[in-house]
Amino acid sequence: MASWVLSECGIRPLPRFYPKPTNSFVSNPTPTFKSKFNPTISPLSSSLDSREGFFSKTRNWTLNVATPLTTLQSPSEEHTERFDPGAPPPFNLADIREAIPKHCWVKNPWMSMSYVVRDVAIVFGLAALASYFNNWLLWPLYWFAQGTMFWALFVLGHDCGHGSFSNDPRLNSVAGHLLHSSILVPYHGWRISHRTHHQNHGHVENDESWHPLPESMYKKLEKATQIFRFTLPFPMLAYPFYLWNRSPGKNGSHYHPDSDLFLPKEKKDVLTSTACWTAMAALLVCLNFVMGPIQMLKLYGIPYWIFVMWLDFVTYLHHHGHEDKLPWYRGKEWSYLRGGLTTLDRDYGWINNIHHDIGTHVIHHLFPQIPHYHLVEATEAAKPVLGKYYREPKNSGPLPLHLLGSLIKSMKQDHFVSDTGDVVYYEKDPKLN
């Protein structure tokens, strides 16, 4: 009885073990069945929705949140309404799915390929122009433009990994390997770890990308590691190192088939992608002998690091940097829906179209099978259902310079989360700064 009272009051010890990260992924449409919310809802969505309904009916979640509630002004400004971002939402995945137009789920391989042709043509065109003029006044413009286009290629390969590029797994694999290998990303190794990220988003221990460190693990890091982890520009250069050795507290490499990231049946896929990555690296070495290392540095090396900075900048701000603290979850408090609702949309100005609207991230995280060219429409349709759980992004100028402030602020404040509690928020290490 005493343990029941403590549990219902939200005072619970940290579980000894956490569930293993979900490692299942469905690239293509799953079998469907009838639902009271939507006649064509997938089994995955339904199971997750029912889990949401169970928890929301049986637990008083507000007592288990470790930070003050956010106070928002009502439209009339005559009274305030208390909103708890860590509370379970009054809707489920089926409600969101039902609000999204049916044509938003349709994948058009010809349209997807047209974006590939466009981006590849721009990449080669920029390289040809830079080589022709070979002017030091123009090289910095080339580096920024080409690095941005490398990032655009990554996003298209990202669609291949989710299966939103087309319904043909072979086309997705071939296009994904060509796109990602060209920018030194191991396609299957990345795809599998990114699947883990999506299936465990918002979970302190099981998430894969930009997840928080528990306080005890953070304090075990060497001081130099702490400084590099939260001092710009170093975190924005982390991606290649993450591919080799993952994040603190996690073992394995995206290139090794025996890594903890992969199931035994995935070894062949990982070896294939590592072989493609090696072939691209060998081609770059050969081009160094043909064109010279300085020319290759200007044409490929510097744009590659600009691409890395774009990737780290965008992916970090999709999960950090909001003016209000956002929750992270553990144990039974976590669900697919609640974890997905902690992600953020961002406006990148002129870059939105160039990097294929990757800033429309909330709906993408909940329904990664939606093609990128339908994400904006799907988001607009889902906003009435999401309500306050959708955080409207700030409008950007031509370039998203306003996001630099959000990045800097987050790096100064978001250092670790508590070792205990099932709904936790980032805390600051006052000694670090």
Side-chain angles (χ1 to χ4, degrees), residues 24-30 104-110 112-113 154-177 179-180 187-188 190-192 194-195 198-199 364 367-375:
S24 61
F25 178 73
V26 181
S27 296
N28 296 316
T30 58
C104 289
W105 305 88
V106 177
K107 308 165 190 176
N108 185 336
W110 292 106
S112 297
M113 284 302 301
F154 176 89
V155 176
L156 291 176
H158 163 271
D159 282 5
C160 295
H162 280 300
S164 61
F165 190 86
S166 77
N167 286 325
D168 186 345
R170 291 171 298 180
L171 175 60
N172 294 337
S173 182
V174 171
H177 274 96
L179 291 164
H180 275 192
Y187 172 69
H188 279 310
W190 162 85
R191 177 185 63 81
I192 294 168
H194 192 64
R195 172 190 68 195
H198 267 260
Q199 293 298 323
H364 165 68
F367 305 107
Q369 63 270 39
I370 296 179
H372 76 264
Y373 41 84
H374 291 319
L375 281 175

Side-chain angles (χ1 to χ4, degrees), residues 103-168:
H103 67 266
C104 289
W105 305 88
V106 177
K107 308 165 190 176
N108 185 336
W110 292 106
M111 181 173 291
S112 297
M113 284 302 301
S114 71
Y115 284 107
V116 173
V117 172
R118 182 196 77 173
D119 289 359
V120 171
I122 293 174
V123 165
F124 280 99
L126 288 172
L129 288 173
S131 299
Y132 177 79
F133 288 105
N134 196 21
N135 187 312
W136 281 105
L137 294 176
L138 298 179
W139 278 114
L141 296 177
Y142 165 79
W143 293 333
F144 177 80
Q146 191 71 298
T148 304
M149 291 310 303
F150 282 10
W151 164 234
L153 294 180
F154 176 89
V155 176
L156 291 176
H158 163 271
D159 282 5
C160 295
H162 280 300
S164 61
F165 190 86
S166 77
N167 286 325
D168 186 345

Side-chain angles (χ1 to χ4, degrees), residues 317-337:
L317 288 177
H318 281 160
H319 302 276
H320 299 78
H322 196 262
E323 49 266 29
D324 297 322
K325 292 288 186 179
L326 299 180
W328 288 80
Y329 302 101
R330 287 189 177 102
K332 294 181 178 180
E333 302 288 351
W334 179 88
S335 72
Y336 182 85
L337 175 59

Side-chain angles (χ1 to χ4, degrees), residues 21-149:
T22 303
N23 203 28
S24 61
F25 178 73
V26 181
S27 296
N28 296 316
T30 58
T32 58
F33 63 89
K34 296 294 183 178
S35 157
K36 68 178 181 178
F37 298 102
N38 188 340
T40 57
I41 177 82
S42 71
L44 172 62
S45 298
S46 176
S47 63
L48 294 169
D49 296 339
S50 62
R51 179 165 49 184
E52 281 295 315
F54 173 79
F55 288 125
S56 63
K57 293 178 181 178
T58 59
R59 298 297 308 274
N60 185 357
W61 301 95
T62 58
L63 296 178
N64 203 25
V65 178
T67 193
L69 303 181
T70 303
T71 301
L72 300 177
Q73 291 292 329
S74 67
S76 65
E77 296 186 357
E78 294 178 359
H79 64 278
T80 59
E81 181 181 353
R82 295 171 67 82
F83 171 64
D84 177 7
F91 51 84
N92 55 34
L93 281 171
D95 298 329
I96 305 172
R97 178 186 289 269
E98 190 176 61
I100 298 175
K102 292 183 179 180
H103 67 266
C104 289
W105 305 88
V106 177
K107 308 165 190 176
N108 185 336
W110 292 106
M111 181 173 291
S112 297
M113 284 302 301
S114 71
Y115 284 107
V116 173
V117 172
R118 182 196 77 173
D119 289 359
V120 171
I122 293 174
V123 165
F124 280 99
L126 288 172
L129 288 173
S131 299
Y132 177 79
F133 288 105
N134 196 21
N135 187 312
W136 281 105
L137 294 176
L138 298 179
W139 278 114
L141 296 177
Y142 165 79
W143 293 333
F144 177 80
Q146 191 71 298
T148 304
M149 291 310 303

